Structure formats: structure tokens, C-alpha cells
Amino acid sequence: SSGINAEYGHASLTCPVLLAVGKHDRFISLQDEISMNLIVPGSVLHILNAGHLLPIECAEEINDLLESFLSNDLSDHCSLHAATLYLPKREKAQSNESTV
């Protein structure tokens, strides 16, 4: 079962929310982050090719995400009414290649 509890009020958040998780994280499950992304309106979830220490393992990508998010350039990320899920760039390229 998911560790996300809807009773905490996450679904009532009205501000933009940036979620980032490493797909190899052993402490925070990918399923929990996906659940959070679905619960929080307008949230954006980026799944990075890393473990738990995102600022160390993929510093440049995290900095770019934060800079864009904090500069209110949300058009690159999501509409404010729908949850969005971003997969690592490398996986997107592989999945596109396999469908061609």
C-alpha cells in the first residue's frame, strides 16, 4: 500500500508543486511519488536517473528544474489544473526508438 495519506491535505494545495524523485531511490518509493503527483492538483513530477541524493547525483538537472520552476516558467512543466509526469530524457529517447 502507498505511504501517501490523502488526509494530510495534499489534495487541497493551491500553489504549484514540484516533485522530483530518483528512479533508483531506496528510501522514497516511486509509487509514493506518483501517488503524490496524482493527489496534488497542478503538481509536476520529474523522475530522474538517480538515487536518493538528487542534488549530488544530478546537480545540473536539479538546478535547471528549480530555476525554471522558481522563475514561474511553468508553461514548460504543466498546466495548473492537471498533474504531469516527466520521465528521464534517456528513457524517453529509448521508448521513442522502440516504437519506430
Side-chain angles (χ1 to χ4, degrees):
S1 84
S2 173
I4 301 299
N5 186 337
E7 293 178 19
Y8 291 136
H10 297 114
S12 65
L13 290 171
T14 58
C15 61
V17 174
L18 174 64
L19 302 167
V21 65
K23 71 177 186 176
H24 305 293
D25 194 323
R26 294 186 209 172
F27 299 101
I28 298 174
S29 78
L30 183 56
Q31 184 57 50
D32 279 354
E33 286 300 307
I34 292 170
S35 295
M36 181 67 79
N37 184 229
L38 295 173
I39 290 169
V40 177
S43 65
V44 180
L45 172 59
H46 287 267
I47 301 172
L48 306 175
N49 192 17
H52 187 69
L53 301 174
L54 300 179
I56 295 171
E57 296 175 49
C58 49
E60 186 175 334
E61 193 168 0
I62 285 292
N63 286 340
D64 291 346
L65 286 173
L66 287 170
E67 183 179 334
S68 176
F69 188 79
L70 294 174
S71 69
N72 294 321
D73 187 11
L74 300 177
S75 61
D76 288 343
H77 298 289
C78 69
S79 74
L80 293 178
H81 302 291
T84 305
L85 171 67
Y86 288 89
L87 296 173
K89 292 176 185 175
R90 202 175 299 159
E91 287 185 8
K92 280 185 181 178
Q94 289 173 354
S95 66
N96 288 341
E97 290 170 5
S98 63
T99 60
V100 176

